[in-house]
Amino acid sequence: MSLYDILNSVDLTLERNVKSYDNSFIDKFIDELKYYLLMKQPNSKNLSFDELPKDTIFYVDYIEEGYASCLDTNQKFSEKYEIPQSLLDTSIKCGGTYIQFDGNQYIPVEKPNGYTL
């Protein structure tokens, strides 16, 4: 388990259990630290629009700082992709969503058969 995974677990636990946690100094600090660690991971891909796979179904892990952190559902050991939030359909507000490019933007789709996190 990576430091990022530990921080993400702590962050989610605090969000669920402490009402004043959301947008607090600690919440913002943990989010920035998670983002920094994510970008330093060797399997993280922060690609331009032209480089993003267009036929892939992604799992949105979370959205912050204008990017959706997504996992490629076509790969057994999935790479993380940072997709600009501006390319997401406005109905996509948080993680836990499967998305695919429709020619204009990434829209919600059904979970692919056989995919497990």
Side-chain angles (χ1 to χ4, degrees):
M1 183 177 276
S2 70
L3 180 55
Y4 171 84
D5 294 327
I6 294 168
L7 277 173
N8 195 45
S9 176
V10 168
D11 190 33
L12 292 173
T13 301
L14 289 171
E15 283 178 3
R16 281 188 224 118
N17 297 316
V18 180
K19 289 182 182 182
S20 62
Y21 177 72
D22 195 34
N23 284 323
S24 68
F25 172 79
I26 299 297
D27 180 30
K28 291 176 184 177
F29 176 78
I30 289 176
D31 288 345
E32 285 183 33
L33 186 55
K34 284 178 7 187
Y35 184 75
Y36 173 79
L37 292 171
L38 178 67
M39 298 317 297
K40 294 297 180 188
Q41 290 180 355
N43 65 344
S44 179
K45 296 217 177 210
N46 192 356
L47 304 175
S48 71
F49 172 73
D50 293 333
E51 298 172 303
L52 287 169
K54 303 299 188 295
D55 58 347
T56 299
I57 295 177
F58 290 103
Y59 173 78
V60 179
D61 189 22
Y62 61 89
I63 300 171
E64 67 184 27
E65 297 190 21
Y67 287 90
S69 178
C70 301
L71 300 171
D72 182 344
T73 61
N74 289 331
Q75 299 176 0
K76 183 173 182 170
F77 299 103
S78 186
E79 293 181 292
K80 284 206 175 199
Y81 289 84
E82 299 297 313
I83 298 176
Q85 193 169 1
S86 60
L87 295 176
L88 301 180
D89 182 77
T90 56
S91 67
I92 303 167
K93 303 284 186 206
C94 61
T97 305
Y98 294 89
I99 60 173
Q100 187 172 26
F101 194 69
D102 73 351
N104 295 312
Q105 62 186 347
Y106 287 88
I107 59 169
V109 295
E110 294 292 318
K111 177 182 175 181
N113 288 336
Y115 179 72
T116 58
L117 290 175

